Amino acid sequence: MLQLSSGLIILLMTLATPAYAEQTFLEGGLLLTTAVLCLMGLALLLTLSSLSRRSKRLLRQQRSFQQLLAETPGIIAVLDKNLLLRNASTSLKSLLQVQDHSTLASALPLYADAEGSVSLDSTLKSQLRQHGVWHGEVWLKTERYAEAYKISIHALATESVKGPFYLLYGQNITQLRQQNERQQQLQVRDDLTLLPNPFIFEEQLRQALLSCDAHYPSVAVMFLRLHDSSLAQHPEQLTDARLSEAAERLQALIPSKFLLARQAGANFSILIPPHLCLYNNNIILNQLAHKVIGGFNQQDAQGLRSPLRIYIGISISPNDGEDVSSLLSSAEKAAGRAAQQAESALCFADSASQQQAPDLLALEAELYRSAAQGEFELYYQPKFSISSNRIVGFEALLRWPSPRRGMLPPPTFLPVVEETGLIISLDRLVFRKACQQVSYWQQTGLMRGRLALNISAQQFAQKDFLRFMQDTLAEFELTASLFELELSEAIFGHPTIWLRERMNSLERLGFRLILDNFGEGVSSLTQLRQFPFNGVKLAPSLVRYVEQQEQQRNICATLIRLAGYLELDVTATNIETEMQAYLLHVMGCDCQQGHRFSRAIPAEDIGQLLLKENQLLNNQRQIAN
């Protein structure tokens, strides 16, 4: 190049000399043209060489990128400004089941959850437009599967009018997530049975003890010790197979509302929380323990019994312990005493409770016999109007004159009755006896207002419930308007359409419908409005502390005012003192019942009670005059 330039300069200088100007003009011009053409050819050769090198470099890069797309274990995608797929790795195409030509302008199914209910499309677009980059975990979901990925998306520098473009790279973390979940599960679950481990059980027991109050004062613990009777030397050392079998059997026997956990070795535990450990909890716990024992004493198809034996110890706070360790220790010691028996057995930590334990089966047998023979009786508690000082109705309450135990109120036997299903027969017996009594009162002029009856959720759900009520009313020639049916919140577990139709049918018959224990459960304003209730009965737990606690007074006043807005009658029950009656009356609750006015009395005493009422009213009139 330097030589060519020097020759060109000399030639130009020569051509510029006057002596040769005319002679060599044509030769010089030709030479100049040749030189220029040489320069252009050289430039062209250089350009072609550069383009060739660039083409080879681009080809190598393209091959490397295609190789990366084909061999990468993760997913790679090129996305346009609308996050539509323009190119993708082989692994991603395989997951999406798309061909090379069909990847163009197809959406990438990225979601925030495995169910695919929350799309990330708008979130990603917003973040990328603002920052040009996004990192995070997503779910790639198709019709066939859903897998978790950790991805990064970066904007690519481009001068294209169609830009920007984005490069996505991601790694599958589904297996890592599963490993982490299993690791977390091992921290709270027993590895063999997958039941909660002792740490979780003790923490739940601690929380349950902290939640105890005046309304729900007790927590109960069952400690279950398993023995394999086929092992002569160490019956408590069960094989993994036996333990798994026992865990499955316990899960089938124990309702999900109780917490079942595995303790060390062949031991298990059950937590009965405060709201399920109410008064007469001995009966409930006794019944649950016998259910578990019965489940382990069953025979198989060949008539052979399982060699597993179960021994149950039961402790109840606060008598058997006020903290986690003492309550568990009491239950474990009781299980140890039960294990001294040859067969499966239970033992209460408290000696007084233990004396009642063997009586449960006999109690069930007596209940069935008494129900079959119609030996149950009805007592009647009057409802008083505070403003008029008169009886405005009665509530029928069941009593059981047990041949062995004497006259028993419902709390002493209702848990057993409800668990066995005997409650349906008793409800029907109660309604027949109530109809018979109302018929007599009408004939003798003793009927006052309406008679209220408690209807169990089991009876309410029976297919022939409405037909039974109609037939019984027709048998005694009575109208449904003489009765109030008190329904518990358990009925709200039924489908709304079915429940509304059943309640409307009862209302069309003439029954008044009352929501029982209002203020204690889950009933809401919506439920009170959408179902045809005529009134509510305040929960006894609200009334109990209305004198001492301002909060309870505020709650009662609010509920009474709410019922008034909905045009619902309000009844307060369990009134024990004059002050309770006064406060509730001031709040707007006129109809009340409880021991402050009268206990539940047998039917034959109703006439005398009404006579006393008339005498009292006459005396008041005379004093007023």
Side-chain angles (χ1 to χ4, degrees), residues 146-161:
E147 292 191 4
Y149 280 84
K150 188 170 185 177
I151 68 170
S152 293
I153 306 178
H154 294 266
L156 297 175
T158 177
E159 297 179 359
S160 171
V161 295

Side-chain angles (χ1 to χ4, degrees), residues 587-599:
M587 295 175 190
C589 179
D590 182 65
C591 184
Q592 302 180 15
Q593 67 181 94
H595 292 172
R596 165 65 184 84
F597 309 104
S598 172
R599 294 180 178 272

Side-chain angles (χ1 to χ4, degrees), residues 57-73:
R57 185 169 62 254
L58 290 176
L59 183 60
R60 288 196 300 270
Q61 292 176 349
Q62 185 178 9
R63 288 174 178 173
S64 298
F65 184 66
Q66 293 299 331
Q67 185 178 5
L68 177 65
L69 292 180
E71 298 178 358
T72 181

Side-chain angles (χ1 to χ4, degrees), residues 107 198 244 264 274 281 283 290 319 404 417 460 465 533 536 551 601:
S244 297
N281 48 32
I283 293 179
H290 274 97
N319 292 340
R404 291 182 52 192
V417 167
F460 182 81
F465 172 59
F533 286 107
V536 295
Q551 184 183 40
I601 58 177

Side-chain angles (χ1 to χ4, degrees), residues 53-294:
R53 289 194 300 272
R54 181 180 298 179
S55 176
K56 290 180 181 179
R57 185 169 62 254
L58 290 176
L59 183 60
R60 288 196 300 270
Q61 292 176 349
Q62 185 178 9
R63 288 174 178 173
S64 298
F65 184 66
Q66 293 299 331
Q67 185 178 5
L68 177 65
L69 292 180
E71 298 178 358
T72 181
I75 59 172
I76 298 177
V78 177
L79 310 173
D80 65 13
K81 63 179 181 180
N82 295 317
L83 299 187
L84 298 178
L85 197 64
R86 293 299 181 179
N87 201 355
S89 61
T90 303
S91 57
L92 180 56
K93 292 177 182 177
S94 176
L95 291 173
L96 299 178
Q97 289 188 326
V98 295
Q99 303 300 323
D100 287 347
H101 66 276
S102 64
T103 59
L104 296 178
S106 61
L108 197 59
L110 300 179
Y111 297 92
D113 59 327
E115 291 74 24
S117 59
V118 182
S119 174
L120 288 174
D121 186 70
S122 59
T123 301
L124 293 177
K125 288 179 181 178
S126 175
Q127 290 291 321
L128 290 171
R129 287 167 184 166
Q130 292 182 23
H131 308 291
V133 63
W134 188 88
H135 307 280
E137 294 184 5
V138 302
W139 285 90
L140 184 62
K141 180 174 173 58
T142 67
E143 295 180 355
R144 298 182 297 111
Y145 75 99
E147 292 191 4
Y149 280 84
K150 188 170 185 177
I151 68 170
S152 293
I153 306 178
H154 294 266
L156 297 175
T158 177
E159 297 179 359
S160 171
V161 295
K162 297 181 180 180
F165 282 86
Y166 301 99
L167 179 65
L168 178 150
Y169 177 75
Q171 285 287 347
N172 193 320
I173 59 171
T174 304
Q175 187 174 2
L176 179 62
R177 272 175 167 260
Q178 292 173 347
Q179 292 175 352
N180 291 338
E181 289 175 0
R182 283 196 294 269
Q183 187 65 30
Q184 292 176 358
Q185 190 179 63
L186 291 176
Q187 296 176 2
V188 299
R189 297 277 179 179
D190 174 61
D191 190 24
L192 177 63
T193 64
L194 297 183
L195 291 173
N197 60 24
F199 174 80
I200 294 299
F201 182 85
E202 292 179 12
E203 181 60 28
Q204 291 294 320
L205 177 56
R206 184 176 295 106
Q207 294 301 321
L209 288 169
L210 291 175
S211 67
C212 289
D213 56 21
H215 304 297
Y216 305 107
S218 298
V219 172
V221 170
M222 287 188 175
F223 193 91
L224 285 61
R225 177 172 294 179
L226 289 172
H227 284 183
D228 188 342
S229 60
S230 64
L231 302 176
Q233 295 296 328
H234 300 286
E236 72 281 358
Q237 296 181 359
L238 273 66
T239 63
D240 287 351
R242 290 283 192 205
L243 282 171
S244 297
E245 175 193 346
E248 292 178 2
R249 192 178 302 184
L250 286 171
Q251 286 178 293
L253 291 169
I254 298 171
S256 58
K257 59 186 177 182
F258 303 123
L259 176 64
L260 171 65
R262 184 191 174 191
Q263 299 290 330
N267 300 318
F268 296 82
S269 55
I270 304 173
L271 170 62
I272 295 86
H275 69 284
L276 298 175
C277 191
L278 304 176
Y279 48 78
N280 298 299
N281 48 32
N282 287 358
I283 293 179
I284 300 173
L285 300 174
N286 200 331
Q287 191 172 16
L288 177 60
H290 274 97
K291 180 179 179 181
V292 173
I293 291 173

Side-chain angles (χ1 to χ4, degrees), residues 613-625:
E613 180 197 62
N614 289 331
Q615 292 176 349
L616 177 62
L617 291 174
N618 290 332
N619 291 337
Q620 291 178 346
R621 292 192 191 98
Q622 291 176 2
I623 294 175
N625 293 332

